[in-house]
Every structure is written in C-alpha cells, then in structure tokens.
Amino acid sequence: MTKKIAIIGGGIVGSTAAYFLSQLDSGNDFEVTMFDDGNGQATKAAAGIISPWLSKRRNKKWYNLARDGATLLKQISKESKMPESIYNQCGTIITREDSEKLKELYQLAEERRDETDTIGEIKELTADEVMRFVPIIDNSYPGVFVSGGARLNGDKYASHLTKIAKNKNLTIIKQPVSINKDGNVELDGHFLEFDNIILATGAWTKDILRQLPLDVDVRPQKGQLIELSTTQILGANVDMPVVMPEGESDFIPLGNGRLIVGASHENDKGFDLSADADIIDALLNSAHSMSNQINAENLIRVKIGTRAYTSDFAPFFGRIPGYEKILVGSGLGSSGLTTGPLVGKILAEMIADKVDYDIDEYRKPIENYIKLVK
C-alpha cells in the first residue's frame, strides 16, 4: 500500500529526506509531496564548511551527529554523482595563535581519527605553510590541516537531490502551507491528507505549529555572508582548502575565482532578510585583514538566510509528542549543512521503518524542545 508523505521545507533536511524516500521506494511504497516556497531558507544562502572533527563542543550527541553527518555527505556525494561545484573535499585548515592551543587541536584531531577515517590526513602547518596552501592569504597564524574537510553549496545540494527524487516519486509545490489545529496540512484553505508529515521548516517550525497546543523551543538567527571575486588576484582556476582562521570570519574559496567570507550570527534580528551595511563592512574588514588585496571592489553579492537555534544550541528531531504522524527536524544552527543530511536520512528511515541503529546516540529527548501544553 502506497503511503502519502508530505515534506514541508526543501532545505538541507527536506531535500535529503526526499532523496532517501526515493531510494527506499521499492516500487510504489511512497508518494511524496514537498511544499517549499524557499523564503529566507538558510540552505539557499549557505556555502558551508564540513569539518566537525576539531570542534570542542561538549555535547557528545551533537558531535556524533556531525561526525556521522560528514561521513554520510561523502557517501551521498559519491552515490548521487554530485559534482565538485556542490561537494568538494578540498580540506580545511583551522588556525591558532597560541602554540599550546595548536598542539591541543592537533592531538584532538589524532584522537578523533580513531573514530572515523573520513577526517583523512592530518598535518600541523606553520603560518608560511598555511599561506602556501591558500595563496590568497598573506597574513596567518599556524594551523592544523585535515584533508577530509569539505565545502558544500547548500542550494545546489538541495536542487541536486530533489531532481533525483522527482524522477522517482517526488512532486514539488512551491507554495506555503500550514498545519491546522487537527495536525493536517492546509493549502489555500483546503485540507490535504497524508500518512506522515516531515517538518523541515528550520526557524519557522514554531510558527507552522502555532495552531497546535505545543511549546516549541526554536528561535531564528540571521546569517549574512559575502561573495567576493578573486580572479584578478589569483586567476579563476586555483582550488584551495577552506580556512577557519582564529579571530576572523571563515574563508571558503569556491575554486572558480570566487570566495565566500562569513557568516554572521545575529540573534536579535528575527526573520529580517535585509543586508546590514555594518555587518558587510565587518566581513570585508575581516577578509582584508587576511588578504591585503581584498577590498570592497571585490564584492559580488551578499547572501542572507535564517538559521534555527534552540536555547541550548542543540538540534532535535523525531516524532512530535501527541502528533505521532508528524516528524520534525530543527534547531541545527550554523552546523546545519553537516548535521542536516543525517537528520533527513533518519526521518526518512523512521517513516519507512528502516531504522536499525540507536538514534538516541544523536539526540537529546525531543521533549526537551517540543512538548504538549496541558
């Protein structure tokens, strides 16, 4: 019997869930409809760094999710024939001014290589070696290089996976929908019936559930980044690692004469998608401090999106308490491009009853973030 599935939101979680539902479909198991208007979606603005192994976040469950998410991304890239313009295992460099902190970072990388081989080769670099790895930089601290690090174009990733799913069992409707008081999908005043609903609505999760008696711990965070031209500095075909420099904004070379710098983390702007001149200036100044040849003339465009955060900065996912046919994944924050694919895969496998591992190693109880109001 065919199950009708709705996915609300076509970003990193929604597109991955759609992809896996198309791969799990053995014939006519699932009929999937995605509702996505794309407004403010963090994934569309994101050009993310996939390099979770050197994070010192204390949340072990988050690290498990990010670590295995990085491995899953590499697998998805290979099996879906994803071009390097979307996923590029270019390596990442993290710099530190203090030599002891640099040594700690290297030791942490060595320890975590025992948990996953996705991290790849590990090297300790002098400041001069960092600048040789990334020739656009002319001012750097020493760093640690991991060859397994990657960059991901979130918008192109989502388009790539949904295109594959559309060839199998996915229909996309580019209109906003709501969840009514009965927990069903509503479009233009009409009720639509589904066996399961996946909410992949990020920062809008609280809003879309507002008619239900639920307390939802999700808040928006604005992120702005800038795209710069580096063709006149280096030419168009120089491929470089991503750099996460201490005290400055991340450098994400795109390999086609383009460089992404950012992104900001603004907790007090709600769903505002307008460019902020002060933020843009700060990002340009950060870029200039790393490379004296970069200035405002290199600016191509500003990209803005809205991330979802929880009060303890941890993601959550699973079936919504009291509304078991609705599954949700949200609160991914700035690591969404790393953690989102695994969340989307898990939600798809939950619907298909294909989960044969302990998902609680990746999450705190969902009731910590979304619960019935009595």
Side-chain angles (χ1 to χ4, degrees):
M1 180 178 174
T2 300
K3 293 178 71 173
K4 295 180 67 176
I5 312 299
I7 300 175
I8 305 178
I12 193 75
V13 173
S15 62
T16 308
Y19 170 74
F20 277 102
L21 285 171
S22 76
Q23 302 304 295
L24 291 166
D25 194 335
S26 60
N28 297 304
D29 295 344
F30 305 108
E31 179 184 311
V32 185
T33 303
M34 177 183 287
F35 301 94
D36 179 43
D37 64 359
N39 182 45
Q41 186 186 99
T43 301
K44 289 187 180 299
I49 302 170
I50 311 303
S51 188
W53 310 285
L54 304 186
S55 171
K56 291 187 175 181
R57 284 178 63 166
R58 295 181 180 179
N59 184 344
K60 178 64 174 175
K61 293 178 183 290
W62 172 88
Y63 176 69
N64 292 342
L65 186 67
R67 177 199 62 206
D68 292 352
T71 299
L72 177 64
L73 264 173
K74 186 175 180 179
Q75 295 170 355
I76 293 173
S77 171
K78 183 177 181 179
E79 70 184 26
S80 71
K81 297 180 173 57
M82 199 171 281
E84 286 192 350
S85 60
I86 301 177
Y87 175 88
N88 187 325
Q89 191 176 313
C90 56
T92 54
I93 297 172
I94 300 178
T95 67
R96 292 288 183 268
E97 179 180 12
D98 186 284
S99 60
E100 287 301 315
K101 290 183 179 179
L102 187 69
K103 187 181 297 183
E104 289 175 8
L105 200 65
Y106 182 83
Q107 290 172 346
L108 179 62
E110 289 283 358
E111 291 168 9
R112 286 181 167 171
R113 183 161 55 183
D114 294 337
E115 301 176 353
T116 175
D117 58 7
T118 308
I119 192 172
E121 182 184 6
I122 303 166
K123 289 183 180 178
E124 197 169 347
L125 304 177
T126 66
D128 286 342
E129 287 173 328
V130 171
M131 290 184 282
R132 284 199 293 271
F133 264 81
V134 191
I136 194 173
I137 291 176
D138 48 34
N139 181 30
S140 179
Y141 297 129
V144 172
F145 169 79
V146 291
S147 66
R151 64 172 182 261
L152 183 72
N153 184 307
D155 191 15
K156 290 182 178 180
Y157 170 92
S159 296
H160 179 76
L161 293 192
T162 52
K163 183 179 180 179
I164 293 171
K166 282 172 68 177
N167 290 329
K168 188 72 175 288
N169 61 359
L170 175 67
T171 300
I172 299 178
I173 298 176
K174 295 184 178 296
Q175 290 182 253
V177 293
S178 61
I179 299 295
N180 65 21
K181 60 183 178 62
D182 298 315
N184 295 312
V185 175
E186 204 170 287
L187 173 64
D188 292 332
H190 299 287
F191 156 75
L192 303 176
E193 188 172 351
F194 293 96
D195 296 293
N196 285 110
I197 302 167
I198 292 178
L199 289 188
T201 46
W204 287 265
T205 300
K206 186 173 184 176
D207 181 66
I208 201 167
L209 292 172
R210 66 185 180 280
Q211 294 189 55
L212 302 181
L214 295 168
D215 183 13
V216 182
D217 177 14
V218 175
R219 58 183 173 82
Q221 184 188 71
K222 183 177 180 179
Q224 301 181 67
L225 51 79
I226 55 175
E227 184 174 338
L228 304 166
S229 172
T230 60
T231 303
Q232 292 182 334
I233 303 172
L234 285 177
N237 297 312
V238 179
D239 200 13
M240 296 174 281
V242 168
V243 184
M244 303 169 72
E246 185 171 32
E248 301 294 346
S249 298
D250 295 333
F251 260 48
I252 310 174
L254 301 182
N256 58 351
R258 297 290 186 268
L259 171 71
I260 295 290
V261 177
S264 65
H265 296 73
E266 302 163 63
N267 295 326
D268 59 348
K269 300 297 176 62
F271 294 94
D272 173 29
L273 294 175
S274 61
D276 186 313
D278 290 339
I279 296 294
I280 305 312
D281 285 345
L283 292 173
L284 281 168
N285 289 336
S286 182
H288 182 73
S289 71
M290 296 287 292
S291 175
N292 292 327
Q293 301 176 79
I294 292 177
N295 53 53
E297 294 178 0
N298 299 101
L299 182 63
I300 298 173
R301 60 174 171 162
V302 178
K303 300 176 75 174
I304 304 169
T306 308
R307 310 181 189 95
Y309 270 90
T310 58
S311 57
D312 67 353
F313 299 96
F316 65 90
F317 61 88
R319 296 186 184 275
I320 293 181
Y323 297 88
E324 295 299 303
K325 81 170 187 177
I326 307 177
L327 296 86
V328 63
S330 187
L332 305 184
S334 58
S335 62
L337 291 189
T338 305
T339 58
L342 185 49
V343 170
K345 177 177 182 284
I346 290 171
L347 295 179
E349 290 177 339
M350 289 176 72
I351 285 174
D353 294 323
K354 297 288 187 181
V355 179
D356 56 2
Y357 50 93
D358 183 10
I359 64 175
D360 287 335
E361 69 174 295
Y362 299 124
R363 64 175 186 173
K364 297 178 183 179
I366 193 170
E367 291 82 4
N368 288 11
Y369 310 98
I370 184 166
K371 57 189 175 184
L372 280 168
V373 177
K374 296 180 180 179

